[in-house]
């Protein structure tokens, strides 16, 4: 048998991703939840490969230098800008939804590359407020999704505000089933690629007509997905995905 064929395949070492907000090269001592997760859940040993990220766009590869009862010490290279973040900055502005639907929106939107989530209070929404505990949970969902998907930015999830108070930089795109324009037509154009963009989607009961009219009067563009009507938790993810993936094509 050929020696090259007999050689076993190389084993790819697992890389543990660690959130280090004040990221710098050299020796970094971890305490608290990140240290607990590495030491007690993952049971890492000295020499384990890590990638630290600061939640704001920088990463630093390195390894575990020491593990003890006080925490975990990392040896990191100098931080650098992440190469995986989307070039198009997209804010997902989404109406408050029933149950745990917002967790799915935040998780999937983060995986796709959204930069920020703005929660909205709209007229037809069944939910009109969000407790501090639920807001913190959504922020933890964003952090874990960023860790899992290899991102270096943890999108912020901001407190709900009335739809009339929503502001944006660049352009805004409103998902509206009765709109004249289509998402396909928008994607065929090139101007939106310069960004930044804010996507705006409504609650289970949809936007009131005058809510859409007010957004359009302020410069937003209303589009429909096509002949199919999407659920309130599907629309924000689908719209963000279409824009982010098209921008990278």
């Amino acid at each position: 048998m050929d020696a090259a064929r007999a050689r076993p395949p190389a084993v790819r070492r697992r890389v543990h991703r660690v959130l280090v907000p004040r990221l710098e090269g050299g020796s970094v001592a971890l305490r608290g939840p990140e240290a607990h997760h590495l030491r007690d859940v993952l049971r890492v040993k000295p020499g384990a490969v890590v990638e630290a990220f600061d939640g704001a766009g920088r990463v630093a590869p390195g390894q575990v230098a020491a593990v003890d009862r006080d925490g975990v010490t990392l040896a990191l290279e100098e931080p650098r800008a992440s190469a995986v973040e989307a070039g198009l900055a997209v804010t997902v502005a989404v109406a408050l939804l029933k149950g745990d639907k917002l967790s799915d929106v935040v998780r999937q939107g983060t995986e796709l590359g959204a930069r920020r989530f703005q929660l909205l209070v709209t007229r037809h929404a069944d939910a009109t407020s969000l407790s501090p505990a639920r807001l913190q949970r959504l922020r933890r969902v964003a952090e874990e999704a960023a860790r899992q998907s290899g991102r270096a930015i943890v999108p912020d999830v901001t407190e709900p505000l009335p739809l009339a108070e929503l502001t944006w930089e660049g352009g805004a795109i409103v998902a509206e089933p009765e709109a004249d324009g289509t998402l396909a037509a928008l994607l065929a154009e090139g101007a939106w690629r310069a960004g930044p963009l804010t996507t705006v989607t409504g609650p289970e009961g949809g936007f009131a007509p005058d809510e859409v009219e007010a957004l359009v009067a302020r410069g937003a563009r209303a589009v429909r997905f096509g002949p199919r009507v999407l659920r309130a938790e599907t629309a924000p993810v689908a719209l963000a995905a279409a824009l982010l993936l098209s921008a990278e094509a």
Side-chain angles (χ1 to χ4, degrees):
M1 180 181 293
D2 188 289
R5 293 184 179 180
R7 187 180 302 123
V11 177
R12 186 175 181 180
R13 300 181 70 184
R14 181 179 180 185
V15 178
H16 303 286
R17 304 199 74 233
V18 187
L19 178 61
V20 183
R22 300 177 66 178
L23 187 60
E24 56 186 25
S27 180
V28 175
L30 295 181
R31 302 292 184 264
E34 290 290 335
H36 165 72
H37 185 71
L38 285 174
R39 181 189 60 200
D40 303 324
V41 178
L42 299 178
R43 298 184 180 276
V44 298
K45 304 296 183 185
V49 179
V50 299
E51 181 182 63
F53 65 106
D54 64 0
R58 297 191 307 157
V59 296
Q63 63 181 11
V64 174
V67 180
D68 55 40
R69 64 182 182 181
D70 293 326
V72 177
T73 301
L74 307 179
L76 300 178
E77 298 178 15
E78 287 301 313
R80 60 175 182 265
S82 171
V84 306
E85 292 298 330
L88 178 65
V90 172
T91 293
V92 175
V94 55
L96 293 178
L97 304 175
K98 294 186 294 186
D100 202 33
K101 296 175 183 178
L102 284 174
S103 292
D104 293 334
V105 173
V106 170
R107 181 181 300 106
Q108 295 169 24
T110 298
E111 292 172 1
L112 287 164
R115 297 284 181 90
R116 177 170 166 262
F117 296 90
Q118 174 61 65
L119 307 181
L120 300 172
V121 178
T122 58
R123 189 176 310 161
H124 292 164
D126 291 321
T128 57
S129 63
L130 192 73
S131 69
R134 284 195 65 198
L135 181 61
Q136 283 303 113
R137 183 176 184 278
L138 291 175
R139 288 170 174 165
R140 289 195 297 271
V141 168
E143 179 183 318
E144 189 53 39
R147 186 196 314 275
Q148 178 274 329
S149 60
R151 294 192 59 186
I153 292 176
V154 176
D156 190 17
V157 183
T158 58
E159 295 184 2
L161 57 75
L163 179 62
E165 297 179 12
L166 175 67
T167 60
W168 57 82
E169 295 182 19
I173 302 170
V174 186
E176 168 51 51
E178 302 301 323
D180 293 331
T182 65
L183 177 58
L186 172 71
L187 293 176
E189 302 171 6
W192 62 270
R193 294 175 181 268
L197 289 177
T198 295
T199 63
V200 190
T201 56
E204 290 87 350
F207 287 125
D210 62 302
E211 288 180 316
V212 177
E213 291 169 2
L215 290 169
V216 171
R218 292 166 51 204
R221 181 166 173 178
V223 299
R224 67 180 189 275
F225 286 99
R228 293 165 296 281
V229 177
L230 303 186
R231 297 177 68 91
E233 66 271 30
T234 305
V237 177
L239 185 51
L243 294 167
L244 286 161
L245 296 177
S246 295
E248 294 178 349

